[in-house]
Amino acid sequence: MVLIVARALYSVYNFDAVLTVCQDALMIDDRCSEAHLLKGRALRKTGEDTLALTEFERAIQEDANNSEACFEKGILLKEQDRFSEAITSLTQAVSLDGSNPDYLYHQGLCDKLE
């Protein structure tokens, strides 16, 4: 239920509230991959890229099948011109969900930029 609220807040760009709700969710269950993912997305939107990367990595650590976290990590690394690392993360996202065209597009883009 808490993460439904966090997703709703994210959809209306209330990133500070998302961070608060996710922190509350993580106090209940600090291994919740989705809470780490949402927290990372909100951190990214508030310009906290280093903290966002840590949250994406934690989301992946808690659920190695979290393709969205792999994708978000890859995009963040791509924006930091860390193409080799981005490709690794985006390749993992594609291997988990090869039907997502965004994953395939950004993986190919990083291949070209590297």
Side-chain angles (χ1 to χ4, degrees):
M1 180 67 159
V2 173
L3 294 180
I4 292 170
V5 172
R7 284 192 294 272
L9 290 166
Y10 187 88
S11 72
V12 295
Y13 309 105
N14 192 342
F15 305 121
D16 290 332
V18 172
L19 291 171
T20 299
V21 171
C22 286
Q23 196 58 43
D24 290 346
L26 291 167
M27 288 179 75
I28 295 166
D29 179 8
D30 72 338
R31 298 190 63 195
C32 181
S33 181
E34 186 175 358
H36 286 290
L37 171 64
L38 289 170
K39 185 177 177 185
R41 285 177 172 164
L43 286 165
R44 235 180 120 214
K45 293 292 186 179
T46 60
E48 296 288 344
D49 289 349
T50 301
L51 294 173
L53 184 58
T54 299
E55 290 300 324
F56 296 143
E57 289 171 344
R58 181 68 190 269
I60 296 164
Q61 176 185 342
E62 299 303 339
D63 178 6
N65 294 318
N66 190 332
S67 63
E68 292 179 62
C70 295
F71 176 71
E72 294 288 351
K73 177 182 174 184
I75 293 300
L76 181 55
L77 291 168
K78 177 180 71 105
E79 290 173 357
Q80 296 175 344
D81 295 333
R82 295 165 60 182
F83 300 117
S84 178
E85 294 170 86
I87 290 169
T88 300
S89 193
L90 292 167
T91 299
Q92 184 178 3
V94 169
S95 72
L96 294 168
D97 182 6
S99 65
N100 188 315
D102 289 334
Y103 297 0
L104 293 165
Y105 171 79
H106 286 283
Q107 180 191 32
L109 183 60
C110 282
D111 281 334
K112 296 286 185 197
L113 294 171
E114 184 179 37

